[in-house]
Every structure is written in C-alpha cells, then in structure tokens.
Amino acid sequence: MNKTVSVLGSTGSIGTQALEVCEKHGMRISALAAHSSVDMLEEQARKIKPHYVGIYNEEKYADMKQRLADTDIKVLCGMEGLCTIAALEESDIVLNSVVGMVGLLPTLTAIEAGKDIALANKETLVAGGALVTEAARRKGVMIYPVDSEHSAIFQCLQGNKREQLSKVILTASGGPFFNKTYEELKHVTKEQALHHPNWSMGNKITIDSATLMNKGLEFIEAKWLFDLEPEQIEIVVHRQSVVHSAVEYNDYSIIAQLGVPDMKIPIQYALLYPERMSCPTGRLSLTDYGKLTFEKPDYETFKCLSSAIEAIKRGGAYPCLVNSANEEAVRAFLNDRIPFIEIGEIVSSVLDKLENIPINSYDDVVKADNAAREYVRNIVSRG
Ligand code: MG
C-alpha cells in the first residue's frame, strides 16, 4: 500500500493497533501524536521514524523535544500541533483516534486540507456532526469509519444502493452490566465498570460501554455518517460481539458483517479501503460460538442510551451537551467523585436543565461544550 498516514492518538488502544496494521502492510507513517504518554511516544517515534511527532499536553513538550533531540523528527505540541499534523502535505489519510472533544478541531482541519479521514474519534461526529459532514461533502473527502459497528454498516453498503437502504441494525454487546437492575447498578465498583466482557479498550470508552453511552454516541455517529433518520436506526443487544452491525434493504434482506471482536479488522478496512488483505488477527469460527443471541436494550435502566437518542432527535447543541456532560461525569467517576449510577442521572438531566442553541460553527460547539462541563462540575463539586 502506498498511502501515507498520520496517526493522531498513536499511544491509545486504536492507535497502537493501527501502527501494527500499517507495519504489516508497509504503509508509510509521516506523523504520530499522543496526549501525554511520552515514554510510549518516544519508543514509537524511534521505531517508525516519522517526520513529525505531536504531544498534546504542553507541559510535556520540553521533555518530548529533549527525548528526540538526537533525531531529525520535528516535535510539535498542543492543539496547534495536532492540527498541523492533521493537515500535513505529505499525508493522504489521517487516522483520528484521540479521545474526546479534543478530536473535533483536528478532524475539521484535516478535512479543510483535503485529507481523507479514518475516524475513531466519536466526539467528532457527535458534537460536530453537521459541521463535519457538510465540510467533508464540500471538500470531497471520505470519512472511513473505524468504529466496528460503523465499519460493519459501511461494509454492508458496498455494492448496494444507499437509497434502497431501509434501516440499520446497530449491535451492542450490552456491556458488563447487561440485565442488571437500576438498584443493582447503584453498587457497582470502578473495577467492575472497567472490565468489559468482549473488547479491550481505553478507560473512557470502557465506562461508556458499561453505561451504554457508547451505543448512544454510536447511534448519533451512525445518523451523521450514513445520513439516517433516528427512526431508521435499531439497537439490538448481541452479547457475543460477532455480528458487528447490519443493514436492512427495501426488500427486507438484511446484510450483516461478522468477525472476531478485534478492532484491527475495522482499522485495516478504513486504512486499506477498498482492499481486503490478510489481517493480523484471528479467524472467526462460527461453530466455536455455536449460538448467537439478539435482545432489546433496557432504555429505562441505561439512561445514557435513551438520553443520547433523545438528544439527536432534538438536534442543535443537545448531542454535544450530553456528550460533554458525559465526558465530565465519567472523569468524575474515574476520580472517585461520583458513583457509577450518577453518570446516567447527570447526562439525562442535561436535557431538562440546559438550553438548546443552534450549531453553526466550531465556536458554537465550544460554547455548548463549556456550558455542559460547567454544569457537571457544579453538580460534582456540590457532592
Ligand atoms: Mg463500537
């Protein structure tokens, strides 16, 4: 493959697996960027020898620069560094796998520079869906989904007519607390919440999987990626995480994509599209599973899920508001400031307590983001 890639979020779970995929297929990596993991970033930089390395946390800049002083690698920092890397002349595609709202501006910058995006940053589409999809259309760039569900939908669309699609079926593992009651959820610990049955992921997304916020964010993402009405998206709990999602067409044929639960498959499809080559993962054996199950989600217990769906139905700033409130609430939970159950309470309260505003620019997104974070910080500090 002769595509050149920039990897934002290279030290995270998706980032490290992406580097493995790139290495296997001999893809050139022109830049790496991470939030603050200087040790791992240095190690990656010495091995891969990109032209640029970005460190988001400005306090780590001097250290990072010092560590790579004996190389020709240019070290950049902060949001400006991420955006410079997102727009690099020499890159064909930007893999954006940073965590959280931080990912939005680099995505918009990459699109304006005409780069295709392999998108693993959910918040890009959740908070800025209208802005991002409009910009991508205007610039004629592709957004290749990296999330396993959206990659599955994207794969199921190949060779068919988009206008003949009737709905998509977004599968959900259900997370570690599937079938638990609201009462039972009051007593879950951080350790339980951080243990996902099928997927190995970063902390933020693992908590989002336990609250089902992750599926709510994916619902919103699917709406923007595939230009769907909320009524065209059905969420189905599928505990085995083998059917990664499916598409129903007008003739009621349902086409699904299956595979082992390993992110390297969707990462590779996004980077190598439309090629399908051997992937550094295992084969799926259906007979090893034997049984695949499908159930309805519990929207009442998992308030994050119902709130995210309500947010996209209302539109405007609400998707951004619930997302930013969730980021703050998850941070508070991981810092032992609030119990697990409180995440859903806080996220759902946003729909009653915060006002909608139209989102016409990146600045509008930032305003909504700040409002939601301040709202949550006040709740958390009151105890
Ligand atoms: Mg997913």
Side-chain angles (χ1 to χ4, degrees), residues 178-196:
F178 179 66
N179 265 341
K180 287 230 188 299
T181 63
Y182 189 81
E183 274 309 302
E184 288 169 323
L185 287 185
K186 285 183 178 168
H187 309 292
V188 309
T189 64
K190 193 159 82 179
E191 288 62 39
Q192 290 169 326
L194 282 172
H195 183 76
H196 194 278

Side-chain angles (χ1 to χ4, degrees), residues 119 121-129 132-133 143 220-221 224-225:
L119 189 62
N121 172 253
K122 292 195 162 77
E123 292 76 6
T124 285
L125 284 171
V126 170
V132 169
T133 48
I143 298 178
I220 298 171
E221 247 188 308
W224 290 114
L225 272 173

